[in-house]
Amino acid sequence: MTEDNEKKLINRINELYHKKKSTGLTAAEEKERAELHQEFIKNFRASFKQDVENLVIVDKNGKEVTSEKAKQAQRQKGLRKD
């Protein structure tokens, strides 16, 4: 998702939130709000997962201690050559 699309998504969620607090939402708007919320959560989780998979953890002695699961994900993405 592009940054512009993410901003539009968040803005629309906020619009619906404020309308819900002031005048209430129609059934169609409530459905839209729920779908937008689910899309936002899905995008957040995907982004967070990608960030975690790209982490390289190094202990205080300079030795890499990245988990094997993360290393395998990095290899699949072509980020590791070992």
Side-chain angles (χ1 to χ4, degrees):
M1 172 174 267
T2 67
E3 191 173 325
D4 189 45
N5 287 343
E6 186 176 353
K7 285 181 183 179
K8 287 178 184 178
L9 176 71
I10 292 169
N11 286 340
R12 183 61 181 152
I13 290 170
N14 287 335
E15 287 173 15
L16 292 170
Y17 169 78
H18 291 297
K19 184 175 181 192
K20 181 178 181 178
K21 293 295 178 187
S22 63
T23 61
L25 298 176
T26 65
E29 289 171 330
E30 186 61 41
K31 182 179 177 186
E32 178 188 7
R33 186 203 62 77
E35 290 171 355
L36 292 172
H37 185 75
Q38 288 301 313
E39 183 178 348
F40 176 81
I41 296 295
K42 182 184 87 174
N43 293 337
F44 176 83
R45 287 179 177 158
S47 176
F48 187 78
K49 180 180 179 185
Q50 182 178 6
D51 289 344
V52 169
E53 287 177 346
N54 291 338
L55 283 176
V56 175
I57 302 168
V58 180
D59 69 11
K60 64 182 178 182
N61 298 322
K63 181 181 176 190
E64 182 181 357
V65 291
T66 306
S67 73
E68 190 56 40
K69 185 176 180 180
K71 287 180 183 179
Q72 285 185 349
Q74 292 166 354
R75 287 183 194 110
Q76 288 175 347
K77 291 181 179 181
L79 301 173
R80 293 186 79 92
K81 296 184 191 238
D82 60 354

